[in-house]
């Protein structure tokens, strides 16, 4: 049965794109090595074969041209899905992400829309070093006008990809490198996950743990360990940074009175900070303990596994943080 | 009148309207009614108008922060432009864009971009889209000489060339960036045209102050583009009559050079051509007067328009019209 | 007397650079229109004249080359001071700011240092629209490995410029456009303000207001208005985002039990979020009321004055936020 | 032996050491002892070694993520390189950089950069610094064919040219980016050399697999640079023996092409030249054996070295050695 078919997160990316390309002829893909080579992470497997070279385009190493062209196409009737191979490379086309795409609609008083998706392999944990391992969803968070999506399961990859491609707003779609090999059920055709709806992936009563992308499994493992020690953690998969589902978070904190965020971003400027700042404003009276953020250390990402592990969030760090607030 | 005279007269009128609109913008800036900054295009009129007359209404145009002339040439009214500069609700962008971001989507004038060079890849994308949709539309990016030294220029030209896209890169070479001469920081005599061969793109250097030359050159490039022959670079030499922005007196330009260029005013060039075609001074004068009237009325209307609606501050971020960032 | 001489913030920039250029022959400047034209904001007046064309360089419009060249020079014995004309343009050279400069030392295991200053005109309030008005100190905050400085007075411009140029670490130096015309005493020769030392610019007991750059005068005006209504606000000029002087902030909150941040950054991803998140972790018990962040709205910056004012922090908004937490 | 034979033999040895180090890296990767990723330079040895022999020890070298050969050519030991790949405390960068970021500051090999094209402006900056300090040092940026389509390339070449800086741009053209042929996405036959004229920079296209040709071409460019005559572009044609990275089998390359290039192995070319100069097969064999021994010892030493110190995770952000972000 379709419902029980298992698919990898990696395969889900290509599947999610393919489903939308079948539905909508204006969806086109472009990026480096995405067509003939089917993506360096094999996340575009089958697309060239199914849709041909007029819909799947290999580009030169010209990220500004890739993203700029996607923008121009989006303004004129297409729905481009552009790949930025590693999210670190957003830095070489940041002007488009920060200054052009998110501002075009506003600056023109609503005259133009920019319906595009910028997909990227995001995050660390694979020993790719400082320039190929960053989790940069927080860069995008500094820029009003972008929707920011970061799925944690194959089903969400497909459902959120559908919503992202159908969105008339620009979407930054972060595919986590550390999750590519992970598996899960393949959702049925037509599966769409609305942007801005967090997912309570585990219910609990003592503490709320908010996680995103690769930190979701980390948080879930921590929650299991904590359960064994009698601590009941509720785990929220935020799914999107923008729109940020603060209703779900505040409701959960209303129940647990304690909050932990688990972010791969560096602590300085990480997304959890924004979330926490809203909770301590609007939900101040709900809180019974300090709020802790388990984030990456404020250093570039080191190459060696042991060092990288010392820098990014781990199950141990989440468990320790939860214990600190639960025992407060 | 011949067809050519009629068209030239129409171009002349548009140039006259732009010139007066720019003068109005300048005066209103001095009067404190235009705020922020402006980058006036007086002297550049022939580039916008000549190109516009060579294009189809559904072709795409992308401009820089110095883009008033392109907005008007593509059909935006002087009133809506001035209203935008004056932060009025009736402004082209409801007062949210300002001088640097004039946009007139009904004329496919898809924006004025204030980051130097940024719109070149965007125009390439519009051309790619036209190609994909099979519409035979063309995209034109107008940019300054200074933009030829930024990375986006390089990436845009290469991509346009390898994909043979229907895009025309029109450099408005006015010989200066802000206050620095382009020659002093560029390893090429003709910053756009001399680089085109590096991308296998044909290039032309033209008198950007002769509206007929501009029209014909753009028409040829557009025909190539529509025929699937790919991009063209046009380097249109021109000169700005005002300083770079606001009230810059442009002291960095040699007096002799300024004088020479003022003598080669695109409006004078067009007038001389009209006269050569037998159009009478009276006819030209009537056009001048019509332009005067149009812009005078535009100034009045813009002045009397309601101020930008402060509630608009929180609209138009998303396609749904709003700006909600949370659920 | 030197002590009572008055100088503008704008003049202080050139003065601060000149003082260091006199001290240290390895200090060189580069940027667009900075030499012959003396800067589009007139912040490099006199430098070409005093130091000549071998130390003050006009560049093409090539921000990647400007910042990249500054980095290469910094790695090889110079102390470049590069100007990025408007801070929005960091987006076109973001790779250098995000991926190269701050990571070089770490990735090489300490083999190289990158002592440079990237100066920029930052912030809004002048009606320059969405691509020339952003306060982007929070972009830099997302990147470990950068010191981030944003002075609010002419004296601090000079003192912090000295510390920044002398720093062996890369510094992002944000000069606020809205403050260029403001005036203050010219500090004596040799004036240096250590990086990472916040300044308590007004003492108070009811609430702590943390501000930066142009929001400092906003906060001070609000504090005056509040004083008239019997509310005693302590105003902290943070001066630097990195190092962030949390000791001063936490000490102040220990006294006032209430905290407000005033940021020009958009609320999503603004610097105040990081600061607040530390306070609600380490200073949770100090707090008697919700923490509020007065930040820019999460929209691009509009052109029209009235709209811009609706978007960025104002005295009214600060007063309202303070009242809300004081009356909590 | 003649001076030329002696030097060629020394270059041969260095190439042999690099080749064996790359082989070791590959084997150790397969064995799970090298993690993350590697981009091996087998086949590119002549570019690094030829250039290095043409340069002064105080000249600056900047490389890409495919940079093992440049680190070794500038004096980093195979042991320190392999130790870095194996995440050892004795690694060139203490295990913090990895394969993509090999750096050897004592040899002024100032880094391997993993963002394509990023180091070109940085090398220009080192050259500017040399010029300012009056040291007559030269900076060399090695980069791939794929880097010629990114904006930083354009900006770097223009700046280097207008400031006449002592920088040499050496393109290691191996005809492929990752898995895509450079020709399919580049509007130039010779992606670096054909663009050089757009910046008024002289260019040479050379056999990058002939170490003597590389050495002589770089020597000439360095002499020009030191004489204040500005930058040079060198496009060195070469070929990688492995795939792009890790265990990529490089199936996208035609078998005939691979075969042709493997027959034009830079080590074979050097050996043939040595033999032509009268160097005996025995002498060459002894060099091969020495290279074997050096790399075997390096592998051993690297394997036995202590693992990277986890405390190093929080050092080296700031010049004071630490990473404190708050006070
Ligand atoms: C990336 C970037 N760098 C710098 C600027 C500041 N700036 C605005 S206009 C300008 C000069 C542009 O010169 P040119 O391209 O010749 O156009 P012109 O103003 O002469 O029409 C500069 C440097 C900018 N807007 N964007
Ligand atoms: C800006 C940027 N875009 C994409 C990549 C991913 N990437 C790494 S190597 C590579 C191919 C580079 O090809 P080339 O310059 O020819 O060098 P080669 O690997 O052949 O030595 C790509 C696309 C990157 N590292 N940086
Ligand atoms: Mg110009
Ligand atoms: Mg290559």
């Amino acid at each position: 049965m379709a419902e029980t078919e298992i698919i990898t997160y990696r395969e889900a990316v290509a599947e999610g794109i393919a489903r939308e390309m079948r539905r909508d002829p204006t969806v086109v893909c472009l990026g480096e090595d995405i067509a003939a080579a089917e993506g360096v992470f094999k996340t575009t497997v089958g697309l060239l074969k199914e849709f041909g070279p007029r819909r799947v385009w290999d580009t030169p190493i010209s990220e500004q041209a890739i993203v700029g062209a996607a923008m121009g196409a989006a303004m004129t009737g297409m729905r481009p899905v552009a790949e930025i191979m590693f999210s670190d490379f957003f830095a070489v086309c940041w002007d488009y992400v920060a200054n052009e795409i998110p501002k075009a609609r506003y600056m023109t008083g609503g005259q133009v829309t920019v319906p595009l998706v910028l997909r990227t392999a995001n995050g660390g944990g694979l020993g790719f070093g400082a320039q190929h391992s960053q989790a940069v969803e927080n860069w995008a968070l500094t820029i009003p006008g972008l929707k920011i999506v970061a799925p944690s399961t194959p089903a969400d990859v497909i459902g959120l990809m559908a919503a992202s491609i159908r969105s008339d707003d620009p979407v930054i779609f972060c595919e986590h490198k550390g999750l590519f090999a992970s598996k899960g059920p393949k959702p049925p055709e037509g599966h769409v996950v609305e942007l801005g709806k967090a997912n309570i992936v585990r219910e609990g009563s003592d503490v709320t743990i908010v996680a995103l992308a690769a930190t979701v499994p980390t948080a879930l493992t921590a929650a299991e360990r904590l359960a064994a020690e009698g601590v009941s953690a509720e785990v929220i998969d935020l799914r999107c940074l923008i729109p940020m589902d603060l209703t779900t978070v505040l409701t959960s904190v209303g129940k647990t009175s304690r909050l932990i965020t688990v972010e791969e971003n560096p602590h300085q400027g990480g997304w959890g900070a924004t979330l926490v700042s809203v909770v301590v404003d609007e939900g101040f009276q709900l809180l019974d303990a300090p709020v802790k953020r388990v984030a990456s250390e404020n250093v570039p990402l080191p190459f060696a596994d042991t060092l990288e592990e010392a820098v990014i969030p781990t199950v141990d760090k989440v468990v320790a943080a939860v214990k600190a607030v639960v025992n407060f | 009148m011949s067809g050519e005279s009629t068209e030239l007269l129409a171009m002349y009128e548009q140039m006259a309207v732009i010139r007066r609109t720019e003068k109005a913008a300048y005066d209103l800036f001095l009067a404190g009614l235009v705020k922020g900054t402006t980058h006036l295009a007086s002297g550049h009129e022939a580039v916008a108008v000549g190109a516009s007359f060579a294009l189809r209404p559904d072709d795409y145009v992308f401009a820089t922060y110095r883009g008033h002339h392109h907005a008007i040439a593509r059909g935006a009214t002087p009133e809506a432009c001035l209203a935008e500069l004056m932060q009025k609700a009736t402004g082209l962008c409801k007062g949210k864009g300002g001088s640097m971001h004039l946009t007139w989507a009904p004329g496919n004038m898809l924006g004025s971009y204030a980051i130097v060079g940024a719109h070149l890849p965007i125009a390439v994308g519009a051309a790619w889209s036209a190609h994909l949709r099979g519409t035979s539309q063309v995209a034109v990016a107008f940019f300054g000489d200074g933009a030829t030294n930024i990375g986006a220029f390089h990436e845009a030209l290469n991509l346009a060339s390898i994909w043979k896209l229907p895009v025309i890169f029109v450099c408005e070479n006015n010989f200066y960036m802000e206050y620095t001469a382009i020659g002093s920081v560029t390893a090429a005599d003709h910053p756009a045209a001399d680089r085109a061969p590096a991308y296998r793109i044909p290039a032309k250097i033209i008198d950007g102050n002769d509206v007929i030359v501009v029209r014909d050159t753009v028409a040829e490039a557009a025909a190539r583009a529509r025929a699937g022959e790919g991009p063209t670079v046009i380097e249109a030499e021109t000169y700005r009559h005002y300083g770079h922005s606001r009230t810059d007196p442009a002291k960095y330009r040699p007096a002799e050079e300024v004088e020479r260029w003022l003598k080669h005013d695109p409006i004078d060039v067009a007038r001389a051509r009209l006269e050569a075609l037998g159009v009478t001074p009276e006819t030209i004068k009537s056009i001048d007067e019509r332009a005067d009237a149009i812009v005078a009325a535009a100034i009045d209307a813009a002045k009397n328009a309601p101020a930008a609606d402060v509630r608009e501050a929180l609209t138009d971020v998303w396609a749904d019209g709003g700006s909600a960032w949370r659920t």
Side-chain angles (χ1 to χ4, degrees), chain B residues 148-159:
Chain B
T148 62
N149 290 324
I150 201 155
F153 169 88
H154 179 69
E155 298 190 11
L157 268 67
N158 184 60
L159 194 71

Side-chain angles (χ1 to χ4, degrees), chain A residues 32-33 61 63 85 89 92 132:
Chain A
E32 294 158 17
D33 302 295
I61 307 175
E63 279 79 3
M85 192 187 288
F89 311 160
V92 295
H132 280 69

Side-chain angles (χ1 to χ4, degrees), chain A residues 51-288:
Chain A
F51 301 102
R54 278 184 72 86
R55 297 192 59 199
V56 187
W57 294 69
D58 273 328
T59 68
I61 307 175
S62 303
E63 279 79 3
Q64 295 194 75
I66 294 169
V67 179
M71 176 177 175
M75 291 164 77
T76 55
M78 305 301 293
R79 287 187 180 268
V81 178
E83 175 177 304
I84 295 299
M85 192 187 288
F86 286 75
S87 63
D88 314 70
F89 311 160
F90 272 131
V92 295
C93 54
W94 191 239
D95 182 48
Y96 293 91
V97 185
N99 287 332
E100 313 297 344
I101 290 168
K103 296 178 167 59
R105 199 181 143 73
Y106 189 86
M107 293 195 308
T108 63
Q111 291 185 63
V112 303
T113 54
V114 191
L116 56 74
V117 176
L118 304 181
R119 301 170 41 237
T120 192
N122 190 46
L126 276 76
F128 283 169
Q131 295 182 332
H132 280 69
S133 303
Q134 294 166 92
V136 307
E137 60 273 16
N138 63 329
W139 296 7
L141 185 64
T142 63
I143 309 295
L146 300 171
K147 303 235 155 126
I148 309 169
V149 178
S152 73
T153 67
D156 274 5
V157 167
I158 290 173
L160 290 166
M161 185 71 80
S164 298
I165 294 177
R166 295 178 198 188
S167 163
D168 289 334
D169 298 312
V171 176
I172 305 296
F173 195 93
C174 300
E175 301 159 9
H176 201 287
K177 291 195 283 291
L179 297 174
F180 278 139
S182 67
K183 291 179 180 164
K186 179 175 173 177
E189 292 294 329
H191 179 67
V192 181
V193 176
E194 197 183 327
L195 303 186
K197 290 262 172 262
N199 192 13
I200 301 177
V201 289
R202 180 186 177 113
E203 300 211 359
S205 54
D206 295 333
V207 61
T208 299
I209 307 180
V210 184
L212 186 76
T215 71
V216 174
T218 305
L220 282 170
T221 307
E224 262 167 54
R225 284 239 311 257
L226 288 159
E229 303 187 37
V231 177
S232 166
E234 176 143 308
V235 179
I236 296 177
D237 178 352
L238 206 53
R239 280 178 167 157
C240 297
L241 289 187
I242 302 288
M244 192 179 280
D245 186 354
L246 286 159
T247 305
T248 297
V249 172
L250 284 161
T251 304
S252 177
V253 174
K255 188 168 73 169
T256 64
S257 308
R258 286 173 168 76
L259 174 65
I260 296 283
T261 59
V262 192
E263 305 155 62
E264 204 173 307
N265 295 151
H267 185 276
Q268 62 180 70
W271 59 260
T274 295
L275 183 142
V276 166
S277 75
V278 173
V279 173
V280 297
D281 180 356
E282 301 174 18
F284 182 72
Q285 286 172 294
L286 308 174
L287 289 168
D288 281 347

Side-chain angles (χ1 to χ4, degrees), chain B residues 65-66 114-116 144-147 150 174 176-178 240 244:
Chain B
Y65 49 87
R66 190 184 311 286
I115 308 290
V116 166
D145 42 286
I150 201 155
N174 61 14
Y176 289 85
M177 305 184 295
E178 297 212 2
R240 52 173 155 75
H244 170 70

Side-chain angles (χ1 to χ4, degrees), chain B residues 38-59:
Chain B
T38 57
H39 300 78
L40 303 178
S42 290
H44 288 221
E45 294 90 347
V47 182
V49 173
S52 172
F53 272 75
L55 296 174
R56 294 193 333 211
D58 65 341
D59 288 332

